[in-house]
């Protein structure tokens, strides 16, 4: 799976499990709830759904997601790239467990091109 | 008001200032500035060690500042993060800047203990918005030396805004924090929205501060004395130093007096004596109008910075909800009035500019749940509930999440309930799930501390004692994650910077990137060291940023020799206080390295600084000549500013050559600023060429994306095109370059899908085979590439070509500028 696809799977709206219509207060409330649940090591907080399958949720990811959505410009970009997890493609994984055509299908190289970077 | 402090949390905030420091406490509803043993809210940041080794701090030490300067130190905050130790010859002792800062912090800590009966163990300490990493690290070290067990650092403008916002009753809006210190001016634009505080942007002027206002009055007085007495006093003449000092002192007093009265006579502590001339005692009266004329150009400079900040964030001055003044010089009514008039914005009244930062730091301590009370003896009063909730919440309905921890032979609860202490809200019974956990939203009353009682039962109505039995959540303005003030990245051998954390990244933060080594490291060789320089700054070129640390992989520590072209996975972490940790993992060695060397502000060697100053002066001359030749009045006026800044630096350099390290450090920082400013001017000069490049890039990238790009790439290209238009409209060189980089990358992404692209790039890389850093490896790759081309396997050809690129040589000069980085 490419960096860009992984970056897409880290869309803050997926991480926080919020719709694109979420208000600022809802973003902060959801972030606070996930951080609290992760701190208590609750199973319900460990994974989140994406069109590319479930991903691990970490406190860093939650904080980053909250910060991204606080910035109107960045939020607009995330809204542009958001697809409801249940509407997204579910390509069959190849040998290394990643959907080989997902990048091309979604134009994800463009994310790398736009300066998106891989986080830890 | 604060009372019965031991029963409620105590949050401590400290403003560790260059000239004065202050401490405040917050109890969840109100802040209180703590008075020191002298009854003052401000403690001078001065430390004296006498001949018997006795230490005095604050006002008692300041009294010795002029009489016994050798054994009395002030302004050591400016030296934080340097390796310099300051000596106290009378006692034969020496102390580092963090050790001296620790004495001030310990004194403030004792003041809290004296007043509240609690010795605080945690605190939030404010630092300037543009503090470098080593300076932050030194501040944290000082706090530890002062006895604090845990400390968080907070940028001063955020502290001011938080304190101002806490007491404000108005709704959402943008604010300007106008912070004029003794030697620097900082402007910050902040925004409150739905109870949340956000830092929108920051700007400043390192060459402008309250002391310039005093000098403006001194210059006026010198001119008056020359006119009336025919005596020429010169500020740069060492023999006139005493007379100038008397004038400066009188000017400071007059400036303060004119805040309350319309006219004042300058009062000198003694006659003005000049060598070879009769001593004079001039009687000089100055009125408000004159003072205003004196300081008007300086105020105008602060307004220019403020307007620039607003413009860069699409904010009209009229849109400002209020201006918050911070710093001693902003007490001057003339200044406040002029700034408010010029920006057409209301002043936030009723705030003390001298202690606002400490108050904000205390409020922030609450948002970070940093209760300063020492932990008492552990007494369990029931089943332990592990609870997570915000100590301060902007949200009126935050979550409380909890989990019951299994104890010794204690029956676990099946249900818990929370009830607000005013009886206005109750959660009802909350069933614990399979992990013995619950999550619920609670309702808060606005702008107050909300206490909730917690009860639990076994599901059949029998009470199960739990611990804690109550929690408190304060409702009010919050800022959750402090933003990073300067971009942090790694200098590459190309002199470029790989940014890890952009300015504004919320802390804590962690990121990893994979780099490639550009040279081999021989096992066991002490001379062979791979350097990974970590830099801080907003520039694409490493040499314009500040080196804040170097992670080293020495030959003496590796299990076997490391060839050029090896991968290094670097992870950089920053904690909430901006402290840095780095780890390099080398997969081929299966070893990791964590030692970050030189986390110190570089030494300010006066000879090196003088050489840099000379270079920059020549650069200004060359640019000016070209500006005249090409008829560019805007550039000429910008260069006048750079030249005046260089004049200031020359003065600091003179002081540095006389042994003043503080001035040397200021000169070092400011030389970098002017260097970067001249870079900007050079680029601005190239604006017509840049515009042509914009047309070329957008045409090429647009074609590639239209023919080979996906729908999403095409949508993204439209976004970038909008950004390019905005940057061209605002003549913003940096932004235009950034957008063009994005457009190029997007174009390349599409171009790489063209079946002819990779064969062509492979041929080009293979043609440089002779100069590869690892020839056998490169030859093998070329063979592999030719096979892939024959098979028409474009994916393999791409992989081979990218590996070949990594083996191509670097430019030695660029590498030197990139702090000898060993990675790309």
């Amino acid at each position: 799976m490419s960096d860009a696809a992984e970056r897409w799977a880290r869309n803050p709206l997926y991480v926080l499990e919020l719709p694109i219509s979420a208000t600022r207060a809802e973003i902060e409330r959801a972030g606070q709830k996930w951080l609290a649940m992760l701190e208590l090591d609750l199973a319900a907080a460990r994974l989140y759904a994406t069109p590319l399958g479930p991903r691990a949720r970490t406190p860093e990811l939650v904080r980053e997601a909250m910060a991204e959505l606080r910035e109107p410009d960045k939020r607009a970009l995330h809204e542009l790239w958001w697809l409801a997890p249940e509407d997204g493609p579910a390509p069959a994984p190849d040998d290394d467990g990643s959907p080989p055509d997902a990048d091309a299908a979604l134009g994800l190289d463009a994310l790398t091109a736009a300066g998106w970077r891989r986080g830890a | 008001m604060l009372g019965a402090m031991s029963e409620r949390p105590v949050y401590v905030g400290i403003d560790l200032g260059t000239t004065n420091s202050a401490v405040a406490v917050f109890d969840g509803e109100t802040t209180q500035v703590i008075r020191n043993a002298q009854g003052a809210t401000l403690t001078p940041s001065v430390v004296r060690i006498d001949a018997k080794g006795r230490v005095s701090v604050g006002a008692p030490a300041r009294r010795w500042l002029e009489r016994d300067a050798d054994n009395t130190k002030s302004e050591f905050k400016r030296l934080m993060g340097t390796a310099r130790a300051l000596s106290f010859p009378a006692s034969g002792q020496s102390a580092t800047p963090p050790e001296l800062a620790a004495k001030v912090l310990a004194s403030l800590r004792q003041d809290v203990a004296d007043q509240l009966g609690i010795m605080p163990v945690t605190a939030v300490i404010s630092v300037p918005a543009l503090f470098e990493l080593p300076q932050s690290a030194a501040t944290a070290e000082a706090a530890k030396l002062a006895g604090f067990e845990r400390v968080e650092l907070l940028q001063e403008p955020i502290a001011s805004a938080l304190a101002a916002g806490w007491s404000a009753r108005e709704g959402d809006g943008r604010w300007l924090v106008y912070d004029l210190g003794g030697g620097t001016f900082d402007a910050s634009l902040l925004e409150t929205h739905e109870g949340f505080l956000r830092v929108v942007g920051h700007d400043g002027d390192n060459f402008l501060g309250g002391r310039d206002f005093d000098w403006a009055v001194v210059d006026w007085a010198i001119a008056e004395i020359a006119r009336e007495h025919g005596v020429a006093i010169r500020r740069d003449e060492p023999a006139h130093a005493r007379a100038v000092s008397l004038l400066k002192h009188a000017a400071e007093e007059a400036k303060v007096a004119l805040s309350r009265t319309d006219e004042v006579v300058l009062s000198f502590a003694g006659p003005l004596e000049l060598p070879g001339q009769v001593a004079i005692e001039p009687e000089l009266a100055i009125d408000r109008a004159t003072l205003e004329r004196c300081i008007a150009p300086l105020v105008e400079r602060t307004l220019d910075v403020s307007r620039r900040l607003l413009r860069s964030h699409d904010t009209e001055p009229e849109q400002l909800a209020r201006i918050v003044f911070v710093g001693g010089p902003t007490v001057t009514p003339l200044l406040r009035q002029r700034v408010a008039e010029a920006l057409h914005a209301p002043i936030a009244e009723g705030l003390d500019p001298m202690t606002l930062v400490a108050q904000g730091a205390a409020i922030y301590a609450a948002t970070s749940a940093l209760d300063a009370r020492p932990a008492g003896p552990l007494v369990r009063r029931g089943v332990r509930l592990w609870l997570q909730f915000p100590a301060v919440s902007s949200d009126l309905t935050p979550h409380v999440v909890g989990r019951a921890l299994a104890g010794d032979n204690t029956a676990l609860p099946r249900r818990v309930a929370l009830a607000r202490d005013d009886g206005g809200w109750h959660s009802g019974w909350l069933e614990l799930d399979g992990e013995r956990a619950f999550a619920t939203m609670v309702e808060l009353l606005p702008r107050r501390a909300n206490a909730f009682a917690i009860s639990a039962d076994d599901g059949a109505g029998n009470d199960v004692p739990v611990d804690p039995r109550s929690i408190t959540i304060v409702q009010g303005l919050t800022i959750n994650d402090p933003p990073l003030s300067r971009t942090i990245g790694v200098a590459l051998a190309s002199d470029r910077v790989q940014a890890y954390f952009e300015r504004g990244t919320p802390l804590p933060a962690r990121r990893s990137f994979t780099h490639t080594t550009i040279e081999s490291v021989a096992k066991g060789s002490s001379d062979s060291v791979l350097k990974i320089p970590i830099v801080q700054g907003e520039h694409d070129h490493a040499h314009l940023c500040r080196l804040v640390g170097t992670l080293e992989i020495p030959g003496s520590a590796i299990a076997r020799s490391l060839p050029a072209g090896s991968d290094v996975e670097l992870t950089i972490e920053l904690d909430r206080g901006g402290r840095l940790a780095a780890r390099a993992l080398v997969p081929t060695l299966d070893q990791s390295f964590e030692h970050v060397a030189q986390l110190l502000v570089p030494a300010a060697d006066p000879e090196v600084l003088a050489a840099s100053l000379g270079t920059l002066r020549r650069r200004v001359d060359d640019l000016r000549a070209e500006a005249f030749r090409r008829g560019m009045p805007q550039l000429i006026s910008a260069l006048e500013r750079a030249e005046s800044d260089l004049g200031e630096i020359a003065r600091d350099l003179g002081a540095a050559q006389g042994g003043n390290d503080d001035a040397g450090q200021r000169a070092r920082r400011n030389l970098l600023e002017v260097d970067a400013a001249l870079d900007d001017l050079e680029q601005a000069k190239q604006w017509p060429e840049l515009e042509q490049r914009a047309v070329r890039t957008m045409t090429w990238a647009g074609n590639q994306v239209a023919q080979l790009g996906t729908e999403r790439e095409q949508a993204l290209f439209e976004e970038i095109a909008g950004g390019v238009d905005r940057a061209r409209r605002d003549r913003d060189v940096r932004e235009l370059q950034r957008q063009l980089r994005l457009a190029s990358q997007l174009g390349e992404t599409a171009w790489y899908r063209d079946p002819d692209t990779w064969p062509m790039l492979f041929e080009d890389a293979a043609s440089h085979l002779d100069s590869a850093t690892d020839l056998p490896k490169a030859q093998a790759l070329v063979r592999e590439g030719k096979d892939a081309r024959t098979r028409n396997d474009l994916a393999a050809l791409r992989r081979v070509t990218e590996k070949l690129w990594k083996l191509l040589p670097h430019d030695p000069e660029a590498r030197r500028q990139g702090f000898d980085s060993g990675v790309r």
Side-chain angles (χ1 to χ4, degrees), chain A residues 2-31:
Chain A
S2 73
D3 282 0
E6 274 309 309
R7 190 69 181 85
W8 185 54
R10 285 198 297 272
N11 187 312
L13 295 162
Y14 298 150
V15 175
L16 299 180
E17 295 188 13
L18 287 170
I20 48 175
S21 58
T23 64
R24 175 72 199 271
E26 284 166 345
I27 292 163
E28 298 295 330
R29 193 177 302 145

Side-chain angles (χ1 to χ4, degrees), chain B residues 78-89:
Chain B
R78 293 187 199 276
L79 295 175
M80 293 288 267
T82 66
R84 175 97 161 101
L86 300 165
S87 66
F88 293 82

Side-chain angles (χ1 to χ4, degrees), chain B residues 649-693:
Chain B
I649 292 172
R651 256 197 289 281
D652 277 336
L653 185 56
Q657 281 157 342
N660 183 338
D661 288 336
D662 166 23
Q665 280 299 334
R666 205 167 46 231
R668 180 188 68 79
R669 286 196 191 103
N670 289 337
L671 276 169
L672 268 175
E673 298 286 339
V674 175
D675 195 9
L678 289 181
D679 258 26
D680 284 351
L681 291 180
E682 295 249 20
Q683 285 170 349
K685 194 185 70 183
Q686 308 297 337
W687 183 256
E689 289 88 335
L690 188 60
E691 283 213 299
Q692 284 172 12
R693 197 184 117 206

Side-chain angles (χ1 to χ4, degrees), chain A residues 29 32 40 109-110 113 117, chain B residues 395 399 403 502 713 745 749:
Chain A
R29 193 177 302 145
Q32 181 245 324
L40 297 185
D109 281 357
R117 296 181 171 121
Chain B
D395 187 2
H399 283 95
R403 190 172 190 180
E502 302 281 353
E713 283 167 348
Q745 287 166 356
T749 301

Side-chain angles (χ1 to χ4, degrees), chain B residues 596-676:
Chain B
V596 178
Q598 303 161 11
L599 196 61
L600 282 174
V601 174
D605 179 351
E607 280 183 27
V608 176
L609 296 179
S612 305
L613 180 63
T615 307
L616 288 186
R617 281 201 156 132
R618 281 192 295 279
R619 221 172 135 194
V620 169
D621 289 344
D622 291 349
L623 274 168
R624 191 192 294 103
E626 191 177 349
F628 273 114
R629 205 170 51 242
R630 292 171 58 174
M632 303 170 86
Q634 277 178 326
L635 182 58
I636 294 166
S637 111
L639 285 166
E640 274 170 19
R641 175 70 196 284
E643 194 156 32
S644 136
D645 291 348
L646 288 176
E648 290 277 335
I649 292 172
R651 256 197 289 281
D652 277 336
L653 185 56
Q657 281 157 342
N660 183 338
D661 288 336
D662 166 23
Q665 280 299 334
R666 205 167 46 231
R668 180 188 68 79
R669 286 196 191 103
N670 289 337
L671 276 169
L672 268 175
E673 298 286 339
V674 175
D675 195 9

